[in-house]
Amino acid sequence: MATLFGSGIRRREDPRLITGAATYTDDVKLHGMLYAAVLRSTYAHARLKKVDARAAKKAPGVVAVYTGADIQDKVNPVPCAWNVPDCDLKTPPHPLLAVDRVRYAGDGIAMVVADSRAAARDGMDLIDVDYEPSDVVVDPEKATQKGAPQLHDEVPSNIAFTWKVAGGDTGKAFKEAEAKVSLRIRQNRLLPTAIEPRAAVASYNKATGALTLWATSQNPHIHRFLCSVMLNIPEHHIRVISPEVGGGFGSKIPVYADEALVSYASIDLGKPVKWTEDRSENYKATIHGRDHVEFVELCGKKDGTVTGLRTKVYAALGAYASTAGPGVPTILHGLMYSGAYTIPNIDGTVYGVYTNTTPVDAYRGAGRPEATYLLERLMDRYAAEIGMDPVEVRRKNLIPADAFPYTVATGITYDSGNYQAALDKALGMLDYKAFRKEQAAARKKGRYLGVGVTTYTEICGLGPSQVAGAVGFGGGLYDSAIVRVYPTGVVRVYIGGKPHGQGEETTFAQIVADEFGLPVENVEVVAGDTESTPQGWGTYGSRTTAVCGSAVKVAAQRVKEKAKKVAAHLLEANEDDLEWKDEKFVVRGSPDQAKTFGDVAVMANVAWNLPEGVEPGLEATAFFDPSNFVYPFGTHICTVEVDTETGVVDILRYIAVDDCGPQINPMIVEGQVHGGVIQGVGEAMQEVAVYDEDGQLLTGTMMDYAVPKASQMPELEVAHTTTPTDVNPLGVKGVGETGTIASVPTVVNAVCDALAPLGVTHIDKPLTPARVWQAIQEAKGGAS
Amino acid sequence: MIPAAFDYARATSVDEVLAALAADDGTQLIAGGHSLLPILKFRLADPSRLLDIAHLDALRGVHHKGGAARIGATTTYRELLDSAALRKSHPLIAEATSHIGDVQVRNRGTIGGGLAHADPASDMPAVMLALDASFTLQSKGGERAVPAREFFTGPFDTAMKSNELLTAIDVPALAKGSGSAYVSFDQAASGYALVGAAAVVALKGGKVTRADLAFTGLSENPFLTAGAKDLVGSDGGEAACSKVASACISGVEANDDIHASAAYRTHLAVVAARRALTTAVARSA
């Protein structure tokens, strides 16, 4: 039997993307459409004394201007939808437009609607805003200190929550430890930088009371729900269409004020309204990622056994709690503190902190890269402390392959794994021992080579809905699919997820085509329109293949069960005597008596001759709720050479061995690993969002924010091992974020390893040449 | 990123351009546009009219007379790289040009536009300083030549008057036994130089007879170092280059920003200077 599962066929979505034929939100053009521009605060913290839009309203082409005061009684604030329990979470209101106070440079103040984009932009310049500046704080640790400027009156010390995770007896572990290490880690703030900035087009039909909203969303059903909340429109009157989405990386999970604002304007004006972000606006008004200050410690025995981990983390939330903001540095971060290891005692405290910065939310990996980074940096420090090879320390602490399912000290249970196999494979690809020899020889010649090895696992395939409820996530985490077979035997699959680059239009078609014995061309996957797709929860958290793909599989199986009944009836055979062979239903022992899926599709749809009690039609819906998260894992290795004279780092080799279970399409998996690793290398090497003391974003354009370019990135050597999970019928795990999660510490550990002979123990990422050089100077005790 | 409204016209002759500049009517010239358009989109400038000179053939092309090169101001970086004759006569130009922007920028960006824009971290000014090039400036009243070494008067500021058009760049022939090199350390986001050093040397009978070294990105202006002359008369060896490199940044006030501290830039300048000089010497052989 021909199987598509496991075949690296080309992505079916690519031709239209590559040729520019795809429709993005900004491509939507409607009759009579107006254009909106949002005036954003130039101050990071100020009282608004006056917002005077009179001149703007009179400007040529301007149709309307809305200020915070105009709309505050008519709409609701931007909701936070992840209300993490048991941490005293405070989420003060985030008005769609600021009324009396702005809290970050980028906070919306007014929206201009005009008959052209240019007129809307020109109108913005005519709004007279009188600011009374307040003191600013941008650092999450400093924001909690005595005397720091307060962002929200109801949030003392700017602490939005204090979240704790504990298992074992960490105090005792540290007291009895033979060795311990500690680090202060700065997790650099990142700008997600999807190629397509955010956009929204709203069209309100006064006659029906229905709102159609085209939006750059990773999760149109969540947008429908939260826009309903902001706009006081019943959910069934809102249709959200998320057309082609040009990358999200988490930044298009949240709902933003802008989407509600264009909707409000469309309702008010009775015309369609479009808003499209430009890049500078994107860098100010779309969520940022990471931004922690962390104090972390690891302890253990001199034989390499790690016995305890302790953390104190100040995680920036930005000026307001974004949609999933509180969940990222807690549930998706602290629960993963054990990593791939059997650390019996863990004690973590995370402070969520409001700062005068753009809100922080999920960015590729979302909390897990930060957890993996701090743990893997500590593992290397610990190895150095006890004089043991860092690979051997890891090996000593890895969860044994026969111990799964394995419950770690933070209380979560890993589904499956064989960490040693991935480690051995990666070490073999490098020839680790040979590299260590080469490194020693090079050092004698004054050349500084280094190697970083990360053994990781991560939590994804979000997730069981019961757990979602228990951890305060404002929705379910199941997903859904409708498999609809047309009379001619072609198939459409409507899914609750919203792929935006991950390739599920191809991989899900592979699943269904395999099930029915059809060519992949006969199966089309439809996503992104709440009108046609069943309730789902979107594409993020490396969940779509594991969860939505499982729904697709289950729905396809249901269709096939019915098809089998129909086939048996047509063949006048007992259903139990049929087998699926050579892409046909065949009467066992009588290969001539057979029906193809196409034969059955016709009859099921015309219903001329169906078995008794069987309804016409051939389609099925499935809602799949997994029994657990999935935990992909692997080993990444990086080797570098550092020019100690200039601080320039040259990545020599980058090896990624990942295990996401069986691969539906290896080429797509490889692409995901490539993209993920590159984003992680960007974080490790060059990306950082910098605010000055006044809360101005100094890296507000691509001239200053270093998104990785192909010419700056290493070649990648990608391989895999295959360990299935039993929490879904496909056996698959997510792979969209593993690259980012694993690569950041791998690169930093390699550079720190290279510079160890100079006395460098830690450098905060990104490892720009300037920072590496500075670290070398400081280690030498020389002048800065 | 929407600029304020402006008119646009394509110039049909150099005379039309000079007349527009003389009229001082808010017209701004545009060639490749890679520096100007972002400025307009950020609304840092709002000219009433853009006059496009990119296609004026009279301002375009690379012409040689002996070993000297005359480069039209609207010659694109791509055309510089494609000129085999220029690679032969002045390999330093191609070496630095390959550092500029990316493929799209090099396809559209022009050498004259970049020089007239005078970004203090762009690559080409250092090259022109080291090569001792001369710039032809035309106005309705006539024409004058300004040495590159007198052209760059400040960040984004030049000796050009508002009624003048940069029409050509003259690069003198290099003596036999010359060698050159451009070494830059780029800012990862912009690709502009944190520090770039351009070196031109000549050797005769094992002794250095010429040594010109210019920096970009290091301080508020690209500049030619006086100290490089100390290499003349030496053997141009590693030690001599190193000594000159260290000495020539003395007294320079280095830029300090989020990408590199003044101390780091100063250090990089020494490294870039040493590497550029030693490479240039090696290439002179």
Side-chain angles (χ1 to χ4, degrees):
Chain A
M1 184 171 135
T3 52
L4 286 158
F5 194 111
S7 163
I9 62 170
R10 286 187 185 174
R11 285 167 32 116
R12 311 164 76 203
E13 43 273 78
D14 282 346
R16 68 172 190 271
L17 297 173
I18 292 166
T19 59
T23 301
Y24 294 85
T25 299
D26 188 57
D27 294 320
V28 173
K29 290 184 179 67
L30 302 173
H31 181 68
M33 190 167 74
L34 301 172
Y35 298 81
V38 179
L39 176 69
R40 300 186 184 279
S41 175
T42 52
Y43 284 87
H45 201 187
R47 200 165 68 81
L48 285 180
K49 289 170 72 181
K50 182 179 77 179
V51 181
D52 183 350
R54 282 173 299 182
K57 283 179 182 171
K58 289 183 205 145
V62 171
V63 176
V65 181
Y66 302 100
T67 65
D70 295 336
I71 62 166
Q72 61 173 331
D73 297 332
K74 296 164 185 164
V75 291
N76 296 311
V78 185
C80 171
W82 198 336
N83 292 297
V84 177
D86 308 322
C87 65
D88 194 21
L89 174 64
K90 300 178 188 76
T91 57
H94 178 192
L96 300 191
L97 292 170
V99 178
D100 52 8
R101 206 162 155 191
V102 286
R103 293 183 174 85
Y104 71 99
D107 216 349
I109 292 175
M111 187 171 74
V112 182
V113 182
D115 58 14
S116 73
R117 200 175 171 200
R121 174 64 188 82
D122 288 346
M124 246 170 60
D125 285 348
L126 298 173
I127 299 172
D128 183 12
V129 182
D130 197 356
Y131 300 92
E132 183 182 290
S134 312
D135 290 340
V136 168
V137 63
V138 297
D139 179 284
E141 184 191 5
K142 286 181 186 158
T144 64
Q145 289 165 354
K146 212 173 164 190
Q150 294 294 294
L151 271 78
H152 301 278
D153 297 339
E154 59 271 55
V155 187
S157 304
N158 298 311
I159 296 177
F161 62 77
T162 304
W163 182 85
K164 288 177 185 293
V165 59
D169 187 342
T170 308
K172 186 160 171 268
F174 272 88
K175 205 187 275 172
E176 293 173 357
E178 292 170 10
K180 49 186 129 179
V181 289
S182 63
L183 280 173
R184 179 191 188 275
I185 287 172
R186 190 75 174 90
Q187 302 275 6
N188 34 331
R189 179 180 275 252
L190 302 175
L191 307 179
T193 317
I195 291 180
E196 180 206 25
R198 285 188 300 119
V201 181
S203 180
Y204 182 70
N205 184 328
K206 277 199 165 144
T208 61
L211 174 74
T212 305
L213 176 67
W214 287 262
T216 48
S217 171
Q218 297 177 223
N219 29 246
H221 297 90
I222 291 180
H223 268 78
R224 182 178 66 185
F225 167 48
L226 295 179
C227 284
S228 156
V229 170
M230 286 190 280
L231 296 162
N232 300 313
I233 299 177
E235 204 182 350
H236 66 297
H237 282 183
I238 301 179
R239 174 184 183 184
V240 175
I241 301 172
S242 182
E244 217 74 72
V245 173
F249 313 115
S251 72
K252 292 168 182 168
I253 299 170
V255 296
Y256 293 85
D258 314 296
E259 293 137 14
L261 287 170
V262 290
S263 301
Y264 177 82
S266 180
I267 294 165
D268 188 51
L269 300 170
K271 287 188 171 179
V273 179
K274 178 195 278 188
W275 165 82
T276 302
E277 210 176 39
D278 59 38
R279 180 61 60 192
S280 305
E281 190 177 17
N282 174 262
Y283 274 2
K284 285 195 189 80
T286 291
I287 61 103
H288 295 176
R290 318 279 192 259
D291 197 4
H292 295 185
V293 175
E294 303 173 339
F295 297 87
V296 296
E297 303 167 86
L298 194 73
C299 71
K301 298 182 193 166
K302 288 198 167 151
D303 68 357
T305 309
V306 172
T307 57
L309 170 73
R310 197 151 50 194
T311 75
K312 183 170 71 174
V313 172
Y314 297 90
L317 293 181
Y320 305 97
S322 176
T323 305
V328 173
T330 53
I331 308 303
L332 294 177
H333 173 75
L335 295 184
M336 281 312 294
Y337 278 162
S338 197
Y341 312 112
T342 56
I343 305 175
N345 305 291
I346 290 174
D347 186 346
T349 301
V350 180
Y351 300 103
V353 185
Y354 292 116
T355 58
N356 293 115
T357 60
T358 297
V360 177
D361 205 319
Y363 170 65
R364 202 168 191 169
R368 292 152 287 163
E370 297 93 314
T372 307
Y373 181 78
L374 71 84
L375 182 57
E376 292 299 307
R377 283 295 299 128
L378 284 169
M379 291 300 269
D380 263 31
R381 288 294 307 125
Y382 191 76
E385 179 70 20
I386 61 170
M388 201 165 159
D389 185 281
V391 169
E392 289 318 305
V393 173
R394 285 177 171 80
R395 198 184 287 281
K396 188 149 189 98
N397 293 281
L398 285 179
I399 298 166
D402 60 6
F404 293 90
Y406 183 84
T407 302
V408 290
T410 58
I412 54 176
T413 301
Y414 297 176
D415 55 345
S416 64
N418 184 348
Y419 302 166
Q420 292 77 7
L423 174 61
D424 288 338
K425 187 163 191 170
L427 292 173
M429 286 167 73
L430 173 66
D431 195 343
Y432 182 75
K433 282 186 182 149
F435 181 82
R436 285 293 187 195
K437 277 185 198 154
E438 186 187 340
Q439 178 185 42
R443 277 178 188 169
K444 284 184 189 148
K445 294 179 193 157
R447 286 175 55 206
Y448 292 85
L449 273 54
V451 57
V453 179
T454 293
T455 46
Y456 78 94
T457 182
E458 67 117 339
I459 180 171
C460 69
L462 319 179
S465 298
Q466 201 183 347
V467 176
V471 299
F473 185 77
L477 281 173
Y478 61 85
D479 225 289
S480 60
I482 299 170
V483 172
R484 179 171 295 158
V485 184
Y486 290 68
T488 50
V490 291
V491 183
R492 279 195 144 193
V493 183
Y494 297 86
I495 60 170
K498 172 52 193 158
H500 47 283
Q502 295 86 351
E504 278 94 350
E505 278 183 47
T506 304
T507 51
F508 287 6
Q510 288 177 262
I511 294 170
V512 173
D514 256 2
E515 195 72 27
F516 298 159
L518 296 173
V520 73
E521 293 74 27
N522 289 16
V523 183
E524 188 164 291
V525 177
V526 180
D529 185 346
T530 59
E531 199 82 337
S532 61
T533 59
Q535 175 69 40
W537 296 96
T539 290
Y540 47 80
S542 300
R543 66 186 302 273
T544 301
T545 303
V547 184
C548 190
S550 296
V552 169
K553 174 78 176 173
V554 173
Q557 283 171 331
R558 283 179 188 162
V559 165
K560 197 166 173 187
E561 279 165 29
K562 180 172 179 180
K564 192 176 181 185
K565 279 191 173 59
V566 175
H569 176 73
L570 296 175
L571 292 164
E572 297 178 349
N574 190 317
E575 205 185 322
D576 296 337
D577 292 336
L578 287 197
E579 59 179 345
W580 179 254
K581 202 178 165 191
D582 298 332
E583 294 162 35
K584 288 184 194 102
F585 292 107
V586 180
V587 179
R588 207 170 273 117
S590 309
D592 295 346
Q593 281 190 279
K595 291 285 175 194
T596 65
F597 188 78
D599 299 334
V600 176
V602 178
M603 189 51 69
N605 275 292
V606 298
W608 294 338
N609 181 14
L610 291 181
E612 202 178 317
V614 169
E615 291 174 5
L618 192 56
E619 69 174 66
T621 302
F623 290 86
F624 181 81
D625 203 353
S627 59
N628 191 3
F629 301 90
V630 290
Y631 295 83
F633 61 89
T635 295
H636 285 210
I637 302 181
C638 177
T639 60
V640 299
E641 177 162 5
V642 183
D643 177 349
T644 54
E645 187 178 32
T646 61
V648 172
V649 175
D650 183 19
I651 295 180
L652 303 172
R653 288 183 73 184
Y654 194 97
I655 294 163
V657 176
D658 299 286
D659 191 325
C660 60
Q663 299 183 0
I664 300 171
N665 185 318
M667 185 161 71
I668 288 178
V669 170
E670 195 176 327
Q672 288 292 307
V673 172
H674 274 234
V677 169
I678 294 306
Q679 265 177 304
V681 175
E683 172 176 345
M685 296 290 293
Q686 59 190 54
E687 289 186 56
V688 58
V690 181
Y691 282 102
D692 69 10
E693 286 178 355
D694 296 325
Q696 296 298 322
L697 183 62
L698 299 181
T699 52
T701 77
M702 285 181 166
M703 289 293 275
D704 291 299
Y705 186 79
V707 178
K709 300 170 192 166
S711 59
Q712 295 167 328
M713 290 294 118
E715 290 287 324
L716 307 180
E717 300 167 55
V718 175
H720 63 271
T721 57
T722 305
T723 309
T725 180
D726 60 3
V727 309
N728 64 60
L730 298 167
V732 300
K733 304 181 178 187
V735 74
E737 296 163 292
T738 56
T740 313
I741 290 162
S743 59
V744 184
T746 308
V747 173
V748 175
N749 278 343
V751 175
C752 290
D753 179 57
L755 299 178
L758 300 176
V760 173
T761 54
H762 179 69
I763 313 174
D764 268 329
K765 60 194 166 74
L767 304 185
T768 61
R771 287 191 186 202
V772 173
W773 180 79
Q774 183 71 28
I776 295 167
Q777 303 316 303
E778 281 165 12
K780 281 181 185 166
S784 64
Chain B
M1 301 296 279
I2 310 258
F6 56 82
D7 289 332
Y8 170 87
R10 281 171 74 115
T12 54
S13 70
V14 172
D15 284 346
E16 180 192 347
V17 177
L18 299 179
L21 291 175
D24 194 18
D25 60 357
T27 291
Q28 168 78 45
L29 303 187
I30 181 167
H34 276 77
S35 299
L36 181 61
L37 288 178
I39 288 170
L40 299 185
K41 287 181 173 184
F42 281 116
R43 300 201 171 202
L44 297 172
D46 57 344
S48 58
R49 184 171 76 131
L50 295 188
L51 186 58
D52 194 341
I53 59 170
H55 56 283
L56 287 178
D57 286 342
L59 298 179
R60 196 157 183 167
V62 180
H63 308 282
H64 280 84
K65 197 172 200 179
R70 167 162 266 229
I71 303 168
T74 63
T75 308
T76 64
Y77 297 118
R78 174 80 260 151
E79 288 163 342
L80 296 180
L81 288 171
D82 286 348
S83 168
L86 190 64
R87 277 177 187 275
K88 191 153 178 271
S89 67
H90 300 92
L92 183 61
I93 294 175
E95 187 179 14
T97 301
S98 65
H99 280 260
I100 295 172
D102 51 29
V103 171
Q104 290 92 328
V105 169
R106 292 193 291 270
N107 283 347
R108 292 280 305 173
T110 66
I111 182 170
L115 290 170
H117 183 58
D119 188 304
S122 66
D123 301 293
M124 202 55 82
V127 170
M128 293 297 140
L129 290 167
L131 289 171
D132 197 15
S134 167
F135 302 156
T136 300
L137 306 177
Q138 270 188 40
S139 63
K140 211 173 168 185
E143 177 177 308
R144 64 179 176 131
V146 175
R149 293 171 183 184
E150 294 168 18
F151 186 74
F152 301 103
T153 52
F156 305 100
D157 204 9
T158 70
M160 242 164 74
K161 293 180 190 138
S162 64
N163 66 341
E164 286 181 320
L165 172 69
L166 172 59
T167 55
I169 295 108
D170 283 293
V171 192
L174 292 174
K176 207 175 161 210
S178 293
S180 62
Y182 183 68
V183 173
S184 77
F185 296 98
D186 293 346
Q187 196 253 79
S190 69
Y192 278 82
L194 290 175
V195 169
V200 177
V201 302
L203 272 81
K204 198 170 181 183
K207 296 283 177 205
V208 175
T209 57
R210 174 189 178 177
D212 285 309
L213 177 71
F215 287 111
T216 188
L218 176 59
S219 60
E220 64 164 18
N221 223 11
F223 66 96
L224 185 80
T225 65
K229 295 279 182 255
D230 293 346
L231 201 63
V232 172
S234 79
D235 63 356
E238 180 100 26
C241 290
S242 208
K243 196 174 157 200
V244 165
S246 300
C248 70
I249 48 98
S250 121
V252 171
E253 199 171 314
N255 292 332
D256 190 314
D257 58 34
I258 59 168
H259 301 292
S261 66
Y264 181 58
R265 267 201 176 80
T266 307
H267 170 75
L268 279 186
V270 175
V271 177
R274 191 194 73 227
R275 293 184 185 179
L277 286 170
T278 52
T279 307
V281 168
R283 287 173 179 172
S284 72

